[in-house]
Coordinates of all heavy atoms in Angstrom, one line a residue:
G199 N -195.0 -68.1 -36.9 CA -195.7 -68.9 -37.8 C -197.2 -68.8 -37.8 O -197.7 -68.7 -38.9
R200 N -197.8 -68.6 -36.6 CA -199.2 -68.4 -36.7 C -199.6 -67.1 -37.2 O -200.5 -66.9 -37.9 CB -199.6 -68.5 -35.2 CG -199.8 -69.8 -34.6 CD -200.5 -69.9 -33.3 NE -199.7 -69.3 -32.2 CZ -198.8 -70.0 -31.5 NH1 -198.7 -71.3 -31.7 NH2 -198.1 -69.4 -30.5
R201 N -198.8 -66.0 -37.0 CA -199.2 -64.8 -37.5 C -199.0 -64.8 -38.9 O -199.8 -64.1 -39.7 CB -198.2 -63.7 -36.8 CG -198.3 -62.3 -37.4 CD -199.6 -61.7 -37.3 NE -199.8 -60.3 -38.1 CZ -200.8 -59.9 -38.6 NH1 -202.0 -60.5 -38.5 NH2 -200.8 -58.7 -39.0
L202 N -197.9 -65.4 -39.5 CA -197.7 -65.4 -41.0 C -198.9 -66.1 -41.6 O -199.4 -65.8 -42.7 CB -196.4 -66.2 -41.2 CG -195.1 -65.6 -40.9 CD1 -193.9 -66.5 -41.0 CD2 -194.9 -64.4 -41.9
E203 N -199.4 -67.3 -41.1 CA -200.6 -67.8 -41.6 C -201.9 -67.1 -41.5 O -202.5 -67.0 -42.4 CB -200.7 -69.2 -40.8 CG -199.6 -70.3 -41.1 CD -199.8 -71.6 -40.1 OE1 -200.7 -71.5 -39.4 OE2 -198.9 -72.4 -40.4
E204 N -201.9 -66.2 -40.4 CA -203.0 -65.3 -40.4 C -202.9 -64.2 -41.5 O -204.0 -63.9 -42.2 CB -203.0 -64.4 -39.0 CG -203.4 -65.4 -37.9 CD -203.2 -64.5 -36.6 OE1 -202.8 -63.3 -36.6 OE2 -203.4 -65.1 -35.5
I205 N -201.9 -63.8 -41.8 CA -201.5 -62.9 -42.9 C -201.9 -63.5 -44.3 O -202.7 -62.9 -45.1 CB -200.1 -62.4 -43.0 CG1 -199.8 -61.5 -41.7 CG2 -199.8 -61.6 -44.2 CD1 -198.4 -61.1 -41.6
A206 N -201.5 -64.9 -44.4 CA -201.8 -65.5 -45.7 C -203.2 -65.7 -45.9 O -203.9 -65.5 -46.9 CB -201.1 -66.9 -45.7
A207 N -203.9 -66.0 -44.8 CA -205.4 -66.2 -44.9 C -206.1 -64.9 -45.0 O -207.1 -64.9 -46.0 CB -205.9 -66.9 -43.5
G208 N -205.7 -63.8 -44.5 CA -206.3 -62.6 -44.5 C -206.2 -62.0 -45.9 O -207.1 -61.2 -46.4
A209 N -205.1 -62.3 -46.7 CA -204.8 -61.8 -48.0 C -205.5 -62.6 -49.0 O -205.7 -62.3 -50.1 CB -203.4 -61.7 -48.3
G210 N -206.2 -63.8 -48.6 CA -206.8 -64.8 -49.6 C -205.7 -65.6 -50.3 O -206.1 -66.0 -51.4
F211 N -204.5 -65.8 -49.7 CA -203.7 -66.5 -50.5 C -203.3 -67.9 -50.0 O -202.6 -68.7 -50.5 CB -202.2 -65.7 -50.2 CG -202.1 -64.4 -51.0 CD1 -201.2 -63.5 -50.5 CD2 -203.0 -64.1 -52.0 CE1 -201.1 -62.3 -51.2 CE2 -203.0 -62.9 -52.6 CZ -202.0 -62.0 -52.2
S212 N -204.2 -68.4 -49.1 CA -204.1 -69.7 -48.6 C -205.5 -70.3 -48.0 O -206.3 -69.5 -48.1 CB -203.0 -69.9 -47.5 OG -203.5 -69.2 -46.4
G213 N -205.4 -71.5 -47.7 CA -206.7 -72.1 -47.1 C -207.4 -72.8 -48.1 O -207.0 -72.9 -49.3
S214 N -208.7 -73.2 -48.0 CA -209.5 -73.7 -49.0 C -209.7 -72.7 -50.0 O -209.8 -71.6 -50.0 CB -210.9 -74.1 -48.4 OG -211.5 -73.0 -47.8

Side-chain angles (χ1 to χ4, degrees):
R200 285 190 288 268
R201 174 60 183 150
L202 289 168
E203 290 173 358
E204 288 175 1
I205 292 170
F211 294 158
S212 67
S214 60

